[in-house]
């Protein structure tokens, strides 16, 4: 995985105008007030031996943590954000996108308020659904986290 390329994309998304409507956005999707981008994805993991999933998730978490170190150097250290609690809240309240989608796919995220932009950046590994690929996700939005 190319950390420099991922950082450059996150930087670009911190200043790119947000879309007015939902739709595809390169390797991710755009939602009103934000972007959800797939930085990396496993290939055909969901059709292979399930025993391969855990090491792949570990590899993606290592890449996420390397990106987190760079972003924490810019925007400060943050505690991991438990997305399970947000997922549980979706049963009784309306959670806005892109947060509802993020908690449906990932278990935890690192989250920063990007000073001077009014935007939030979240970094997560989407591994919740064993029938889906493992993905490294970046979310950039102006919607405050729930």
């Amino acid at each position: 995985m190319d950390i420099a390329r991922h950082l450059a994309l996150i930087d670009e998304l911190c200043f790119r105008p947000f879309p007015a409507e939902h739709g595809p956005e390169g390797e991710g999707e755009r939602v009103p007030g934000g972007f959800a981008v797939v930085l990396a994805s496993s290939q055909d993991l969901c059709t292979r031996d399930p025993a391969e999933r855990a090491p792949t998730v570990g590899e993606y978490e290592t890449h996420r943590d390397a990106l987190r170190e760079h972003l924490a150097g810019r925007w400060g250290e943050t505690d991991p954000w438990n997305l399970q609690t947000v997922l549980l809240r979706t049963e009784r309240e309306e959670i806005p996108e892109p947060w509802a989608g993020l908690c449906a796919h990932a278990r935890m995220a690192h989250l920063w308020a990007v000073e001077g932009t009014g935007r939030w950046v979240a970094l997560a590994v989407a591994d919740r659904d064993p029938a889906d690929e493992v993905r490294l996700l970046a979310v950039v939005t102006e919607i405050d986290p729930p």
Side-chain angles (χ1 to χ4, degrees):
M1 288 187 206
D2 187 342
I3 290 177
R5 186 173 56 88
H6 296 325
L7 291 171
L9 178 57
I10 291 168
D11 287 342
E12 177 187 337
L13 294 176
C14 284
F15 295 98
R16 183 187 294 177
F18 285 129
E21 59 189 47
H22 189 275
E25 175 68 31
E27 290 297 313
E29 81 183 286
R30 57 181 193 212
V31 294
F35 300 101
V37 180
V38 177
L39 300 175
S41 179
S42 62
Q43 299 298 313
D44 300 320
L45 183 64
C46 53
T47 62
R48 297 195 312 247
D49 182 353
E52 293 180 46
R53 189 165 187 86
T56 301
V57 169
E59 176 186 329
Y60 277 69
E61 289 172 342
T62 298
H63 292 299
R64 179 206 57 214
D65 292 345
L67 277 169
R68 183 201 58 77
E69 286 182 31
H70 286 277
L71 295 175
R74 294 178 183 178
W75 301 322
E77 289 289 338
T78 62
D79 291 329
W81 183 30
N82 182 353
L83 295 173
Q84 181 64 31
T85 59
V86 179
L87 183 63
L88 291 172
R89 288 172 53 197
T90 64
E91 295 174 6
R92 64 183 188 283
E93 66 183 278
E94 186 72 25
I95 302 295
E97 290 297 344
W99 305 117
L102 184 63
C103 74
H105 297 291
R107 300 169 197 283
M108 66 82 65
H110 292 282
L111 180 67
W112 296 270
V114 182
E115 193 172 320
T117 68
R119 296 183 182 204
W120 293 89
V121 171
L123 195 57
V125 174
D127 68 332
R128 193 178 287 279
D129 184 356
D132 201 358
E133 299 297 333
V134 175
R135 297 176 316 276
L136 178 59
L137 304 176
V139 171
V140 179
T141 184
E142 62 187 359
I143 309 293
D144 289 343

